[in-house]
Amino acid sequence: MSDKIYPIGIQNFEKIRRDGYFYVDKTALVYKMIKTGSYYFLSRPRRFGKSLLISTLEAYFQGKKELFEGLAIEKLEKDWVKHPILHLDLNIEKYDNPESLDKILNDHLERWEEQYGTRPSETSFSLRFAGIIQRAFEQTGQRVAILVDEYDKPMLQAIGDEALQKSYRDTLKPFYGALKTMDGYIKFAILTGVTKFGKVSVFSDLNNLKDISMWNEFIDVCGISDRELHENLEPELHEFADAQGMTYEQFCNKLQEYYDGYHFTHNSIGIYNPFSLLNAFDRMEFGSYWFETGTPTYLVKLLKSHHYDLERMAHEETDAQVLNSIDSESTNPIPVIYQSGYLTIKGYDTEFGIYSLGFPNREVEEGFVRFLLPFYANTNKVEAPFEIQMFVREVREGDYDAFFRRLQSFFADTPYELVRDLEVHFQNVLFIVFKLVGFYVKAEYHTSQGRIDLLLQTDKYIYVMEFKLNGTAEEALQQINDKQYALPFQTDARKLFKIGINFSTATRNIEKWIVE
């Protein structure tokens, strides 16, 4: 049995090192950051190790050499100079009014002022911040390290509320602007967050920031690579495989399928989600650990407000400019979804500079689609998993009538405001249902203007379905026959159902299905 203690939810480097928790050594990259630049920005999904990176940098700038014994940086660093540190953590507060940001900034500034003093003329947040940076340098003789964790939390929580976003932007822009004006007093600064708000946003004055979010050389500064997994957890991999009753190779493939697959630039190695991975090793069980810690509802708000066609999500295409920066007034939900970790880079067209996106792994794909179901269909969070179980059972048993009656109940009480984009709503509900059913049976789903065709396969049955919008079920069935969708299964021993289905905008529901 492994004696490793996994640091689940522990983001403090000193605690991890002093209390003997498992740690994947990132200090060579930390040293490289410190020695090759002064100002950094890093975007990574939540629970990806950003706070631990900040805490590691804090211990380094505190000169706590003893915490780094046995790590890569011990051989690299000779001086271990202690620097004054200003650590701003915006993760604490719930940002629902302009004062909530003011309170947290004021609290940090007052604590720093107790240490380094203040002047009566420093009346704004930015003037106070600049004054503290200067005095910290003058009193210690060392330039300052500035560490900002979750810089974007206020902006993210205000998505959809333009006035509140503007208020936060107007506060943060001059505040962070102090970094530029006080450059001579600053040794190092890093801002981390889930997203990067760009253009006229909080960063427009900070043209000296190195955004390393998509830099290959820092790609694994957070998260765990396959090499690190095997170097650090090889005995535990065998142990976990035995506990699951799987061969070592089968197990490694399943682990990759569930938790690997994050690509933060093209041509990069895949990165495992560290939170999910460590939870899985701790419990010796596969689970949706990242999702259990809460999925932000602002993502659903964005998708719904833009009437986004969910089927596009699995094969979205975009360029680096869109991926790298979120304009707070943007009508494109993709950068937020990508930077939040629900999509990742799957391919890159070098000629045109276009990135292909998709879900990183099974945990994210299944978890995200499950999470969306109650927001789109007439069901709630408690009933949704049971409903999917029943759908799968009905498909496996060949009970298509029960299946369609259940599907009808998902469209009942479709809100009136969705009527103007009912086609997208209809497609989205079907996409979610069939995506979830597809985790348990073989499913292929295609959409084009005003119609959907679908193929489901189980051990005993094959379903070829055609959905029409404002047509007839008869026309849908005719199309299956005319286009010979069932031809590939003519010699298959399984029972074949050809099903035509019509969805009516008048009733906002499935109006009829016929089976051949």
Side-chain angles (χ1 to χ4, degrees):
M1 277 291 286
S2 170
D3 58 354
K4 284 190 172 68
I5 317 166
Y6 298 103
I8 310 295
I10 297 170
Q11 298 161 341
N12 183 278
F13 179 73
E14 184 163 351
K15 182 175 180 179
I16 285 172
R17 297 295 289 162
R18 291 203 191 281
D19 294 357
Y21 284 96
F22 171 68
Y23 175 69
V24 175
D25 188 358
K26 301 288 184 182
T27 60
L29 284 172
V30 166
Y31 182 79
K32 187 176 187 179
M33 280 174 85
I34 293 159
K35 297 301 175 186
T36 59
S38 296
Y39 297 91
Y40 290 96
F41 171 77
L42 177 69
S43 154
R44 283 293 179 268
R46 64 189 173 83
R47 298 280 189 177
F48 231 88
K50 298 186 298 294
S51 296
L52 178 56
L53 173 64
I54 292 280
S55 180
T56 309
L57 285 160
E58 185 166 32
Y60 169 85
F61 284 114
Q62 285 168 336
K64 293 185 174 176
K65 183 182 177 181
E66 72 281 5
L67 297 180
F68 295 88
E69 275 177 29
L71 299 179
I73 203 170
E74 185 187 25
K75 294 186 179 74
L76 298 166
E77 183 57 80
K78 303 291 180 277
D79 301 330
W80 295 99
V81 176
K82 186 177 179 181
H83 290 266
I85 296 162
L86 302 178
H87 181 176
L88 174 64
D89 184 356
L90 291 180
N91 215 3
I92 302 162
E93 188 63 67
K94 184 175 188 286
Y95 298 96
D96 49 11
N97 61 66
E99 293 73 43
S100 49
L101 176 58
D102 293 356
K103 275 183 204 160
I104 201 159
L105 290 180
N106 187 57
D107 181 61
H108 278 85
L109 289 165
E110 279 190 2
R111 267 189 285 130
W112 298 333
E113 282 164 346
E114 278 175 25
Q115 194 172 353
Y116 299 113
T118 183
R119 289 172 59 213
S121 60
E122 292 168 359
T123 51
S124 68
F125 290 144
S126 50
L127 283 172
R128 289 168 69 189
F129 191 29
I132 289 162
I133 293 168
Q134 184 175 342
R135 284 188 295 277
F137 167 74
E138 289 169 349
Q139 288 170 29
T140 62
Q142 294 294 340
R143 284 178 297 154
V144 183
I146 295 166
L147 312 173
V148 182
D149 202 3
E150 304 288 1
Y151 94 96
D152 57 342
K153 186 88 179 277
M155 306 287 287
L156 271 179
Q157 290 199 347
I159 277 182
D161 185 335
E162 241 168 84
L164 192 55
Q165 271 228 336
K166 184 180 183 311
S167 165
Y168 290 153
R169 194 165 59 240
D170 292 347
T171 301
L172 289 172
K173 194 175 170 182
F175 182 80
Y176 292 133
L179 299 182
K180 196 170 178 185
T181 56
M182 305 311 288
D183 179 43
Y185 304 105
I186 296 170
K187 167 72 176 168
F188 181 90
I190 184 168
L191 289 85
T192 70
V194 169
T195 50
K196 183 176 179 185
F197 284 90
K199 295 183 185 166
V200 295
S201 197
V202 296
F203 281 131
S204 50
D205 294 338
L206 292 180
N207 52 9
N208 55 347
L209 271 186
K210 264 189 196 180
D211 181 358
I212 57 169
S213 308
M214 294 179 80
W215 283 23
N216 228 324
E217 61 186 297
F218 292 111
I219 218 73
D220 51 347
V221 72
C222 292
I224 296 173
S225 70
D226 204 53
R227 177 185 57 79
E228 289 170 329
L229 175 68
H230 288 279
E231 281 177 0
N232 289 275
L233 290 164
E234 194 60 39
E236 289 77 11
L237 282 164
H238 286 276
E239 208 176 288
F240 197 164
D242 291 344
Q244 290 286 313
M246 301 169 86
T247 68
Y248 175 75
E249 192 179 352
Q250 281 174 332
F251 171 74
C252 288
N253 289 338
K254 185 170 179 179
L255 202 65
Q256 270 192 319
E257 182 199 345
Y258 266 75
Y259 304 125
D260 191 12
Y262 285 90
H263 294 269
F264 298 110
T265 186
H266 62 291
N267 311 329
S268 80
I269 55 169
I271 302 290
Y272 286 84
N273 179 324
F275 184 78
S276 295
L277 194 68
L278 295 182
N279 266 289
F281 274 93
D282 192 41
R283 300 187 207 177
M284 294 276 181
E285 285 288 342
F286 285 92
S288 291
Y289 301 109
W290 191 60
F291 267 88
E292 285 164 12
T293 62
T295 300
T297 49
Y298 66 75
L299 286 177
V300 183
K301 272 189 206 163
L302 268 180
L303 290 168
K304 293 191 85 169
S305 65
H306 298 311
H307 297 283
Y308 183 78
D309 178 357
L310 295 174
E311 196 206 357
R312 281 176 50 196
M313 200 182 291
H315 43 80
E316 188 68 64
E317 291 190 324
T318 189
D319 63 12
Q321 201 177 347
V322 173
L323 285 191
N324 251 330
S325 177
I326 291 167
D327 178 8
S328 48
E329 287 95 31
S330 172
T331 55
N332 187 354
I334 288 307
V336 190
I337 294 163
Y338 162 74
Q339 292 179 16
S340 302
Y342 298 91
L343 292 177
T344 197
I345 294 166
K346 291 288 190 181
Y348 182 66
D349 182 324
T350 49
E351 186 181 1
F352 297 103
I354 298 294
Y355 291 91
S356 313
L357 305 181
F359 293 108
N361 53 44
R362 168 81 181 251
E363 184 200 12
V364 173
E365 184 172 22
E366 188 171 356
F368 191 50
V369 180
R370 275 183 184 276
F371 173 75
L372 289 174
L373 184 60
F375 292 95
Y376 282 86
N378 181 33
T379 184
N380 60 42
K381 284 179 184 174
V382 177
E383 289 169 1
F386 172 73
E387 295 278 9
I388 294 302
Q389 186 188 344
M390 293 306 292
F391 272 130
V392 172
R393 190 176 296 170
E394 286 150 5
V395 169
R396 283 177 178 163
E397 290 171 358
D399 192 351
Y400 50 79
D401 280 329
F403 179 91
F404 284 112
R405 281 195 297 273
R406 187 176 306 282
L407 196 53
Q408 275 181 324
S409 74
F410 270 34
F411 289 105
D413 305 319
T414 299
Y416 185 73
E417 65 269 17
L418 287 171
V419 174
R420 63 194 176 91
D421 218 330
L422 203 60
E423 183 177 343
V424 172
H425 176 65
F426 168 58
Q427 289 181 352
N428 282 343
V429 174
L430 288 183
F431 172 77
I432 291 168
V433 169
F434 291 122
K435 194 78 182 160
L436 290 171
V437 168
F439 287 117
Y440 306 96
V441 303
K442 199 173 171 191
E444 288 177 53
Y445 176 97
H446 310 278
T447 68
S448 63
Q449 209 60 40
R451 50 173 286 266
I452 290 169
D453 62 77
L454 176 83
L455 175 66
L456 292 179
Q457 297 181 62
T458 71
D459 293 342
K460 296 179 188 169
Y461 302 103
I462 297 167
Y463 301 84
V464 179
M465 302 184 200
E466 178 72 30
F467 290 82
K468 287 281 186 190
L469 180 71
N470 289 333
T472 67
E474 287 78 8
E475 283 172 2
L477 186 58
Q478 186 66 45
Q479 185 157 334
I480 293 172
N481 290 322
D482 289 350
K483 298 269 175 106
Q484 296 188 310
Y485 290 156
L487 193 63
F489 307 104
Q490 260 186 341
T491 57
D492 201 296
R494 290 172 291 179
K495 184 163 183 180
L496 175 74
F497 295 114
K498 293 186 278 190
I499 309 174
I501 306 110
N502 185 53
F503 186 89
S504 160
T505 50
T507 60
R508 306 204 288 277
N509 210 319
I510 291 172
E511 171 243 349
K512 187 180 179 183
W513 61 89
I514 55 172
V515 183
E516 193 178 277

